[in-house]
Amino acid sequence: NEEHQKDSANMVLFCFGCLRKEKTPKDEERFLKTRNYRTVAREESSLLTACWEQDWGQVQEICQSNPEQTFWKSQNSGRTALHLATMPGARAPSSVLWGLVEANPFAVIESDRHKFGGTPLHFCCGSLHREDPDTVRLFVETAVRVEKQLPGLLNETTRVNYHSPLYIAAKWGSPPRTIRALIEGGQQRTWIAPWTGAESCVTIPTDASYSPLESLFRLWQGHEEQSEPLDFEKMRELAERILNGTQAPDFSDELTFSEGNSYLKIWANIVVLMQPQFKASGTLLHAASKMYRPVRGLLRLMAAVYSESLLALDGNGEIPLHVAITNPIYPFMRIPDAEHPICVLLEACPESTVALPANDSKALFPAFLAASYDAPLQGIFELLQRAPDALEMQRQQFHAHGVGDSV
């Protein structure tokens, strides 16, 4: 039939060099011209069959002797050999994945047709391959490279607004280096990591959906239920290494996880996800105070770990409470009053109720600052209750600076 003739015609482009032992640049050049995969029943492809049966030795042999089969995909699911090798449950050695990517780098961003599927990069983050940061980075860098090389190749079916590779990796508690690789990839191709979940109202993308940070923090809450003691000093030390270093730790040194410090891996991932906002905020506590979609419990944790930063000034002369007051949060979030950022910070540092932003003669005390920014009534009430003399203090502040005697 006509469709089969088209497939046959397209595949003629791949035939020359089929028997070569190595993939040549011409194979890639032909695909750049056609952008077509041959759709076959899985049984018709020895490569797809070998991947399905997890015969990885056979997969490697076919990649060398018959690489054009990496441009075939199953007619039932639309999955390539790379999809099948990265599926949850597949146990392909890293060398097999690297060989498949070398044979057909474009497969990294090819989407299948399943409702909850995605690209091999999605699959890699959802399987045990996420535990191999080098392989994840290979997939990320390949995805960025081939999408630049061939704009528009990424299928429209890719779930950019569903579960991103970063969300999937965070949900399963991947190694920090895996999280870092995905964030860096997302800075060049947003579908890899549309957002981290730590953004403020200024930096959050318009299409933000599922939060990687919120998903990750559920793992932290699971550890909290086990009453595992936290070593704040070690947590701060680890955060400093991540924030001031160029690479996320791989925990091959003294921080190797054991039963006594397994929470550190989750903590490291939290810091890696918050690092872009930290650079713009000065401290992790300031960054957590300005999140547009706060993660319940996270700010309370940051306030405990960094209690000395509760009155610390950022580059704008503001303490975390000022930041929480002046940065709006997602209006449709259902946050209990006690978990609102203002209330959490007040509980952690009651004396912050009378702290003024620095270097501003017209500065407002927190209660009046909150009223001017339409903060929730409960937050304003808490501020006034904890600082009943705020009205008189504000009058004196204005009078001292010649602003006026009324508020």
Side-chain angles (χ1 to χ4, degrees), residues 76-123:
N76 291 328
S77 62
R79 289 172 179 165
T80 64
L82 191 58
H83 280 96
L84 299 181
T86 52
M87 288 178 63
R91 296 292 185 268
S94 296
S95 59
V96 171
L97 301 185
W98 287 58
L100 286 166
V101 171
E102 182 182 5
N104 177 11
F106 305 100
V108 172
I109 63 173
E110 181 69 20
S111 287
D112 66 357
R113 294 196 301 270
H114 194 274
K115 179 180 179 181
F116 300 111
T119 68
L121 178 55
H122 289 81
F123 282 25

Coordinates of all heavy atoms in Angstrom, one line a residue, residues 76-123:
N76 N 2.8 -0.4 17.8 CA 1.9 -0.4 18.8 C 2.0 0.8 19.8 O 1.0 1.4 20.2 CB 1.9 -1.7 19.6 CG 1.5 -2.9 18.9 OD1 0.6 -2.8 18.0 ND2 2.1 -4.0 19.1
S77 N 3.2 1.1 20.1 CA 3.5 2.2 21.1 C 4.2 3.4 20.6 O 4.3 4.4 21.3 CB 4.2 1.6 22.3 OG 5.5 1.1 21.9
G78 N 4.8 3.3 19.4 CA 5.7 4.3 18.9 C 7.0 4.4 19.7 O 7.6 5.5 19.6
R79 N 7.4 3.3 20.3 CA 8.6 3.4 21.1 C 9.8 2.8 20.3 O 9.7 1.8 19.6 CB 8.5 2.6 22.3 CG 7.6 3.2 23.3 CD 7.2 2.4 24.5 NE 6.4 3.2 25.5 CZ 5.7 2.6 26.4 NH1 5.7 1.3 26.7 NH2 4.9 3.4 27.2
T80 N 10.9 3.5 20.4 CA 12.2 3.1 19.8 C 12.9 2.1 20.7 O 12.5 1.8 21.8 CB 13.1 4.3 19.5 OG1 13.5 4.8 20.8 CG2 12.4 5.4 18.7
A81 N 14.0 1.6 20.2 CA 14.8 0.7 21.0 C 15.3 1.4 22.3 O 15.4 0.8 23.3 CB 16.0 0.2 20.2
L82 N 15.6 2.7 22.1 CA 16.1 3.4 23.3 C 15.0 3.6 24.4 O 15.2 3.5 25.6 CB 16.6 4.8 22.9 CG 17.3 5.6 24.0 CD1 18.5 4.9 24.5 CD2 17.7 7.0 23.4
H83 N 13.7 3.7 23.9 CA 12.6 3.7 24.9 C 12.6 2.4 25.6 O 12.5 2.4 26.9 CB 11.3 3.8 24.1 CG 10.9 5.2 23.7 ND1 11.1 5.7 22.5 CD2 10.3 6.2 24.4 CE1 10.7 6.9 22.4 NE2 10.2 7.3 23.5
L84 N 12.7 1.3 24.9 CA 12.5 0.0 25.5 C 13.7 -0.3 26.5 O 13.5 -1.0 27.5 CB 12.5 -1.1 24.5 CG 11.3 -1.0 23.5 CD1 11.4 -2.2 22.5 CD2 10.0 -1.0 24.2
A85 N 14.9 0.2 26.2 CA 16.0 0.0 27.0 C 16.0 0.9 28.3 O 16.7 0.6 29.3 CB 17.3 0.3 26.3
T86 N 15.2 1.9 28.3 CA 15.2 2.8 29.5 C 13.9 2.7 30.3 O 13.7 3.4 31.3 CB 15.3 4.3 29.0 OG1 14.4 4.6 28.0 CG2 16.7 4.6 28.5
M87 N 13.0 1.8 29.9 CA 11.7 1.7 30.6 C 12.0 1.2 32.0 O 12.9 0.4 32.3 CB 10.8 0.7 29.8 CG 10.2 1.2 28.6 SD 9.2 -0.1 27.7 CE 8.0 -0.4 29.0
P88 N 11.1 1.6 32.9 CA 11.2 1.0 34.3 C 11.1 -0.5 34.2 O 10.2 -1.0 33.6 CB 10.0 1.6 35.0 CG 9.7 2.9 34.3 CD 10.0 2.6 32.8
G89 N 12.0 -1.1 34.9 CA 12.0 -2.6 34.8 C 13.1 -3.1 33.9 O 13.6 -4.2 34.1
A90 N 13.5 -2.3 32.9 CA 14.7 -2.7 32.0 C 16.0 -2.6 32.8 O 16.1 -1.7 33.6 CB 14.7 -1.8 30.8
R91 N 16.9 -3.5 32.6 CA 18.1 -3.5 33.3 C 19.3 -3.4 32.3 O 20.3 -4.0 32.5 CB 18.3 -4.8 34.1 CG 17.2 -4.9 35.2 CD 17.4 -3.9 36.3 NE 16.5 -4.1 37.5 CZ 15.4 -3.5 37.6 NH1 14.9 -2.7 36.6 NH2 14.6 -3.7 38.6
A92 N 19.2 -2.5 31.4 CA 20.2 -2.3 30.4 C 21.5 -1.7 31.0 O 21.4 -0.7 31.7 CB 19.7 -1.4 29.3
P93 N 22.6 -2.3 30.8 CA 23.9 -1.6 31.3 C 24.1 -0.3 30.6 O 23.6 0.0 29.5 CB 25.0 -2.6 30.8 CG 24.3 -3.9 30.5 CD 22.9 -3.5 30.1
S94 N 24.8 0.6 31.3 CA 25.0 2.0 30.8 C 25.6 1.9 29.4 O 25.3 2.7 28.5 CB 25.8 2.8 31.8 OG 25.2 3.0 33.0
S95 N 26.5 1.0 29.2 CA 27.2 0.9 27.9 C 26.2 0.6 26.8 O 26.5 1.1 25.6 CB 28.3 -0.2 28.0 OG 27.7 -1.5 28.3
V96 N 25.2 -0.1 27.0 CA 24.2 -0.3 26.0 C 23.4 1.0 25.7 O 23.2 1.3 24.5 CB 23.1 -1.4 26.5 CG1 22.0 -1.5 25.5 CG2 23.8 -2.8 26.6
L97 N 23.1 1.7 26.7 CA 22.4 3.0 26.4 C 23.3 4.0 25.7 O 22.8 4.6 24.7 CB 22.0 3.6 27.8 CG 21.0 2.8 28.7 CD1 20.6 3.6 29.9 CD2 19.8 2.4 27.9
W98 N 24.5 4.0 26.0 CA 25.5 4.9 25.3 C 25.6 4.5 23.9 O 25.7 5.3 23.0 CB 26.8 4.9 26.0 CG 26.8 5.7 27.3 CD1 26.0 5.4 28.4 CD2 27.6 6.8 27.7 NE1 26.3 6.3 29.4 CE2 27.3 7.1 29.0 CE3 28.6 7.5 27.0 CZ2 27.9 8.2 29.7 CZ3 29.2 8.5 27.7 CH2 28.9 8.9 29.0
G99 N 25.6 3.1 23.6 CA 25.7 2.7 22.3 C 24.5 3.0 21.4 O 24.6 3.4 20.3
L100 N 23.3 2.9 22.0 CA 22.1 3.3 21.4 C 22.0 4.8 21.0 O 21.6 5.2 20.0 CB 20.8 2.9 22.2 CG 20.5 1.4 22.3 CD1 19.5 1.1 23.4 CD2 20.0 0.9 20.9
V101 N 22.5 5.6 22.0 CA 22.5 7.0 21.7 C 23.5 7.4 20.7 O 23.2 8.2 19.8 CB 22.8 7.8 23.1 CG1 23.1 9.2 22.8 CG2 21.7 7.6 24.1
E102 N 24.6 6.7 20.6 CA 25.6 6.9 19.6 C 25.1 6.6 18.2 O 25.3 7.3 17.2 CB 26.9 6.1 19.9 CG 28.0 6.4 18.9 CD 29.2 5.6 19.1 OE1 29.2 4.7 20.0 OE2 30.2 5.8 18.4
A103 N 24.3 5.5 18.2 CA 23.8 5.0 16.9 C 22.7 6.0 16.4 O 22.5 6.2 15.2 CB 23.2 3.6 17.0
N104 N 21.9 6.5 17.3 CA 20.8 7.4 16.9 C 20.5 8.4 18.1 O 19.7 8.2 18.9 CB 19.5 6.6 16.6 CG 18.3 7.6 16.3 OD1 18.5 8.8 16.1 ND2 17.1 7.0 16.3
P105 N 21.3 9.5 18.1 CA 21.1 10.5 19.1 C 19.7 11.2 19.1 O 19.3 11.6 20.2 CB 22.2 11.5 18.9 CG 22.6 11.4 17.4 CD 22.3 9.9 17.1
F106 N 19.1 11.2 18.0 CA 17.8 11.8 17.9 C 16.7 11.1 18.6 O 15.7 11.7 19.0 CB 17.4 11.9 16.4 CG 18.4 12.6 15.5 CD1 19.3 11.9 14.8 CD2 18.5 14.0 15.6 CE1 20.2 12.5 14.0 CE2 19.5 14.7 14.8 CZ 20.3 13.9 14.0
A107 N 16.9 9.8 18.9 CA 15.9 9.1 19.7 C 15.7 9.6 21.1 O 14.7 9.3 21.7 CB 16.3 7.6 19.7
V108 N 16.7 10.3 21.6 CA 16.6 10.8 23.0 C 15.3 11.7 23.2 O 14.7 11.8 24.2 CB 17.8 11.6 23.4 CG1 17.7 12.3 24.7 CG2 19.0 10.6 23.4
I109 N 14.9 12.4 22.1 CA 13.8 13.3 22.2 C 12.6 12.9 21.4 O 11.7 13.6 21.2 CB 14.2 14.8 21.8 CG1 14.6 14.8 20.3 CG2 15.3 15.3 22.7 CD1 14.8 16.2 19.8
E110 N 12.6 11.6 21.0 CA 11.4 11.1 20.3 C 10.4 10.6 21.3 O 10.7 9.8 22.2 CB 11.9 9.9 19.4 CG 10.7 9.3 18.6 CD 10.2 10.2 17.5 OE1 10.9 11.1 17.1 OE2 9.1 9.9 17.1
S111 N 9.2 11.1 21.2 CA 8.1 10.7 22.1 C 7.4 9.5 21.6 O 7.2 9.3 20.4 CB 7.1 11.9 22.3 OG 7.6 12.9 23.0
D112 N 6.9 8.7 22.6 CA 6.1 7.6 22.2 C 4.6 8.1 22.1 O 4.4 9.3 22.2 CB 6.2 6.4 23.2 CG 5.7 6.8 24.6 OD1 5.3 7.9 24.8 OD2 5.7 5.9 25.5
R113 N 3.7 7.1 22.0 CA 2.3 7.5 21.8 C 1.5 7.2 23.1 O 0.2 7.4 23.1 CB 1.6 6.8 20.6 CG 2.2 7.2 19.3 CD 1.3 6.8 18.2 NE 1.1 5.3 18.2 CZ 1.9 4.5 17.5 NH1 2.9 4.9 16.8 NH2 1.6 3.2 17.5
H114 N 2.1 6.8 24.1 CA 1.3 6.4 25.3 C 0.9 7.6 26.1 O 1.6 8.6 26.1 CB 2.2 5.5 26.2 CG 1.4 4.8 27.3 ND1 1.1 5.4 28.5 CD2 0.8 3.6 27.3 CE1 0.4 4.6 29.2 NE2 0.2 3.5 28.6
K115 N -0.3 7.6 26.7 CA -0.9 8.7 27.4 C 0.1 9.2 28.5 O 0.2 10.4 28.7 CB -2.2 8.3 28.0 CG -2.9 9.4 28.8 CD -4.2 8.9 29.4 CE -4.9 9.9 30.2 NZ -6.2 9.4 30.8
F116 N 0.7 8.3 29.2 CA 1.6 8.7 30.3 C 3.1 8.4 29.9 O 3.9 8.2 30.8 CB 1.2 8.0 31.6 CG -0.2 8.3 32.0 CD1 -1.2 7.4 32.0 CD2 -0.5 9.6 32.5 CE1 -2.5 7.7 32.4 CE2 -1.8 9.9 32.9 CZ -2.8 9.0 32.8
G117 N 3.4 8.4 28.7 CA 4.7 8.1 28.3 C 5.6 9.3 28.2 O 5.6 10.2 29.0
G118 N 6.4 9.4 27.1 CA 7.3 10.5 27.0 C 8.5 10.1 26.1 O 8.5 9.2 25.3
T119 N 9.6 10.8 26.3 CA 10.8 10.5 25.6 C 11.7 9.5 26.4 O 11.4 9.3 27.6 CB 11.7 11.8 25.4 OG1 12.1 12.3 26.7 CG2 10.8 12.9 24.8
P120 N 12.7 9.0 25.8 CA 13.7 8.2 26.6 C 14.3 8.9 27.8 O 14.6 8.3 28.8 CB 14.7 7.7 25.6 CG 14.0 7.7 24.3 CD 13.0 8.8 24.3
L121 N 14.4 10.2 27.7 CA 14.9 11.0 28.8 C 13.9 10.9 30.0 O 14.3 10.8 31.1 CB 15.1 12.5 28.4 CG 15.6 13.4 29.5 CD1 16.9 12.8 30.2 CD2 15.9 14.8 29.0
H122 N 12.6 11.0 29.7 CA 11.6 10.8 30.7 C 11.7 9.5 31.3 O 11.7 9.3 32.5 CB 10.2 11.0 30.1 CG 9.8 12.4 29.7 ND1 10.2 13.0 28.5 CD2 9.0 13.3 30.4 CE1 9.7 14.2 28.5 NE2 9.0 14.4 29.6
F123 N 11.8 8.4 30.4 CA 11.9 7.1 30.9 C 13.2 6.9 31.8 O 13.1 6.2 32.8 CB 12.0 6.1 29.7 CG 10.6 5.9 29.1 CD1 9.6 6.8 29.2 CD2 10.4 4.7 28.4 CE1 8.4 6.6 28.6 CE2 9.2 4.4 27.8 CZ 8.2 5.4 27.9

